Amino acid sequence: MKKLRKEDNQTMTESTAKLAHNWIKDADAILVTASNGLSISEGLNLFANDKKLKEVLGDLVDKYPIQNLLSALSFPYKNKLDHWRAIARIVEYYGNNYETSNYMSDIKDLVGNKPYFIWTSNIDHHFSLAGFKNVFEIEGNWFEGVCSEYPEEHGIYQLGNKLHEVYQKDQAGTLTETDIPTCDKCGSELDLNMAGDNFQVNQKQVTKLQNFLEFNENKKLVVLELGIGPRNKMIKMPTMQLVAANSNAHYITINQGQLMIPDEIADRSIGFDSSLASAFKELLSGKSFGARTQAPKKKEALKQLSPEEAKKQEKALQKFYPNYMVDQGFRMGTFPMYMTIDQVYMTIDQDHPSYLHTTQYGQGLMYDMGDAAIVHCFTQKGQYYKIRLGLDKTKNEVHSFYVDPGTFIAIEDANDTGAGFSLINTEIPTNSNSEILVPKYDALLRLFPDQRDIIERLTVK
């Protein structure tokens, strides 16, 4: 193998920076996704145990064994006042006193006048505070509250002004339990509207994001991913699927030390293994300033079943019901589809279940978060059973299970926690070609007459 010279590598880096710049310049729309890496760049590290922890929380650090800001938000304090002191101090420091950072200014320059949307798991609300209008905060934010007794029924409260008042009284030494934020409908104490038992997804944000993605479904969309590590798959996996399904889309990821670009989209992806500041400088200028990059790679052909294996599988499936391909890839608001990478996260809700389809190669399913999920299984032996994926053993929920090859399955949201969605982790073998095979409606009814209701709801007709 030819060894690259230093000047060769510099040329590759230069061309990669220019290509990424041109992708953004020529884009019809931009989807910005962001997680902890952006917050840390702005100076907010939820997981750090450092001098700033004491600066923000003051005497609470001496009073309680608080390890970081994230644990401070959920720590079991001795009294309610200390709980709200911690929240108010954090939100005052990082929220009410927030000034738009250079990173946010750079993102605005990158987006320019193009249609855009922000999809983030950050709870700091910084995008909105920086002036971005089209934002979906998938895990909520600490400026919102929900009723601890009736979170779904009583709606979402805006807590910015109230938390500032709590902070001021805390500093003045006049804070009392009458100052604790409560629900104006029932008087119950409020919880922060962030990932947890009472979390309420902002459905208006969800609808706006879905409309944005559907409108730009086949257009030149750029996904600009900022500081999302491989383990944060709530955003990372669906956006990768989005790019895989749209041949006109491109994917640019910035994450120092942990790039993850699957082979399926590597030909339309660029990675910056660098700081956000360095990557932004190159994206804005189209010139290299030394950031380590991963250039697009030629897409490799997927491993296919042998003719004998394909013939055997087709014969087995045809014994029960003819099947056909519905679609490939992923589209929000239609069929939850799959991409051929080892780990895929699929999201379902009440309005968008997965439809009955064949698990061609066998499939592992594992609950991740949100509502429980109900998996309906129809076997080649003419048997029907269902599995409830979740964490509550009192409801006979299991965390994961394996579906045998050739089984038809459909998954729907149990709608039991108020989350409004269910996130499932599934495995797709590398020899899959992303085709979704579904049974015919009338054939299923003949074989499973007792499951008519399920078949009518979850079969493509």
Side-chain angles (χ1 to χ4, degrees):
M1 182 180 291
K2 180 183 177 181
K3 186 175 181 180
L4 287 174
R5 297 172 297 172
K6 183 177 181 181
E7 55 267 31
D8 292 331
N9 188 51
Q10 179 64 28
T11 301
M12 289 177 62
T13 304
E14 191 80 39
S15 63
T16 302
K18 184 176 182 180
L19 181 60
H21 171 80
N22 288 338
W23 282 355
I24 292 176
K25 179 181 177 182
D26 297 338
D28 294 321
I30 297 177
L31 173 63
V32 178
T33 62
S35 188
N36 293 319
L38 175 60
S39 292
I40 292 172
S41 296
E42 286 196 295
L44 167 55
N45 191 334
L46 291 173
F47 308 99
N49 189 336
D50 53 18
K51 293 181 180 179
K52 187 169 283 189
L53 188 67
K54 173 73 173 181
E55 182 181 348
V56 175
L57 294 175
D59 61 337
L60 293 176
V61 173
D62 301 321
K63 193 174 179 181
Y64 300 99
I66 298 171
Q67 297 301 310
N68 51 47
L69 291 172
L70 191 61
S71 65
L73 293 170
S74 58
F75 189 86
Y77 297 95
K78 293 179 181 179
N79 61 69
K80 294 179 180 180
L81 288 183
D82 282 346
H83 170 68
W84 285 102
R85 284 190 179 99
I87 293 173
R89 292 176 187 181
I90 293 171
V91 174
E92 187 71 17
Y93 191 98
Y94 290 106
N96 288 324
N97 291 331
Y98 175 74
E99 295 182 4
T100 300
S101 68
N102 291 333
Y103 298 97
M104 291 295 179
S105 297
D106 285 345
I107 296 170
K108 288 180 179 179
D109 289 340
L110 287 167
V111 170
N113 295 321
K114 297 181 185 295
Y116 75 90
F117 216 97
I118 311 292
W119 186 357
T120 181
S121 58
N122 293 341
I123 57 176
D124 50 38
H125 205 51
H126 284 183
F127 279 106
S128 295
L129 293 173
F132 289 96
K133 302 299 182 183
N134 303 320
V135 181
F136 173 37
E137 296 165 318
I138 194 172
E139 294 192 279
N141 71 75
W142 53 32
F143 277 96
E144 293 180 348
V146 290
C147 176
S148 59
E149 291 295 323
Y150 306 99
E152 187 172 358
E153 296 85 349
H154 291 177
I156 298 174
Y157 290 80
Q158 299 303 315
L159 289 181
N161 292 334
K162 181 63 178 177
L163 290 177
H164 180 61
E165 179 185 319
V166 170
Y167 174 79
Q168 288 181 316
K169 291 189 175 182
D170 171 34
Q171 296 303 300
T174 59
L175 186 67
T176 68
E177 290 199 3
T178 60
D179 299 309
I180 291 175
T182 57
C183 174
D184 59 12
K185 296 180 177 65
C186 69
S188 299
E189 184 176 349
L190 296 182
D191 286 337
L192 290 185
N193 189 36
M194 301 189 304
D197 292 340
N198 293 329
F199 174 54
Q200 298 297 302
V201 175
N202 189 317
Q203 294 299 331
K204 290 183 179 179
Q205 292 182 356
V206 172
T207 300
K208 287 181 68 176
L209 174 60
Q210 288 179 330
N211 291 340
F212 171 82
L213 294 179
E214 290 173 5
F215 182 78
N216 294 289
E217 184 176 4
N218 296 312
K219 297 182 180 180
K220 291 187 289 185
L221 176 72
V222 167
V223 174
L224 179 59
E225 183 183 271
L226 312 177
I228 302 183
R231 288 179 296 178
N232 186 340
K233 298 176 182 177
M234 285 187 298
I235 300 174
K236 196 175 189 74
M237 288 305 175
T239 50
M240 285 178 174
Q241 291 173 315
L242 189 70
V243 174
N246 178 2
S247 61
N248 294 316
H250 291 98
Y251 176 72
I252 301 173
T253 176
I254 308 169
N255 196 53
Q256 191 163 17
Q258 284 187 311
L259 289 181
M260 177 186 172
I261 301 176
D263 291 341
E264 286 71 19
I265 60 172
D267 60 324
R268 290 179 283 121
S269 299
I270 290 175
F272 284 83
D273 183 3
S274 70
S275 67
L276 289 176
S278 296
F280 284 166
K281 189 175 181 181
E282 297 198 2
L283 289 173
L284 286 166
S285 67
K287 299 178 180 179
S288 173
F289 296 94
R292 289 176 295 181
T293 59
Q294 179 176 320
K297 297 179 181 179
K298 185 178 180 180
K299 189 173 182 180
E300 297 181 3
L302 294 171
K303 180 182 176 182
Q304 300 294 326
L305 291 177
S306 68
E308 292 78 15
E309 290 172 328
K311 185 176 180 180
K312 183 178 179 181
Q313 184 186 78
E314 183 68 16
K315 184 177 179 181
L317 290 173
Q318 290 294 340
K319 285 181 180 178
F320 300 93
Y321 354 89
N323 52 79
Y324 54 92
M325 185 182 73
V326 175
D327 205 348
Q328 292 187 5
F330 173 87
R331 296 196 198 121
M332 288 193 71
T334 56
F335 300 104
M337 299 301 177
Y338 309 120
M339 184 173 75
T340 56
I341 53 181
D342 290 339
Q343 294 289 329
V344 176
Y345 275 65
M346 61 173 288
T347 303
I348 56 174
D349 58 39
Q350 283 287 289
D351 297 323
H352 305 106
S354 81
Y355 286 82
L356 278 160
H357 62 279
T358 308
T359 54
Q360 289 176 270
Y361 303 94
Q363 197 171 323
L365 297 172
M366 183 171 70
Y367 169 83
D368 190 71
M369 69 174 294
D371 296 329
I374 299 172
V375 186
H376 302 279
C377 304
F378 297 79
T379 74
Q380 291 189 16
K381 296 181 180 180
Q383 297 174 333
Y384 163 79
Y385 66 94
K386 66 180 177 180
I387 298 291
R388 188 178 174 100
L389 285 176
L391 301 177
D392 191 344
K393 293 183 179 179
T394 65
K395 298 179 181 178
N396 295 320
E397 294 176 359
V398 298
H399 191 204
S400 63
F401 80 109
Y402 178 80
V403 184
D404 290 327
T407 304
F408 285 104
I409 67 169
I411 310 172
E412 58 182 341
D413 178 12
N415 194 31
D416 60 338
T417 69
F421 69 95
S422 182
L423 193 66
I424 306 299
N425 174 350
T426 184
E427 298 176 356
I428 304 297
T430 55
N431 60 347
S432 169
N433 61 3
S434 296
E435 291 180 343
I436 305 302
L437 303 179
V438 303
K440 285 188 175 179
Y441 171 73
D442 54 353
L444 269 183
L445 279 180
R446 285 196 301 270
L447 195 59
F448 298 95
D450 293 339
Q451 279 72 47
R452 173 178 288 274
D453 175 66
I454 297 169
I455 293 170
E456 288 181 345
R457 285 188 291 110
L458 302 175
T459 304
V460 178
K461 299 179 179 61

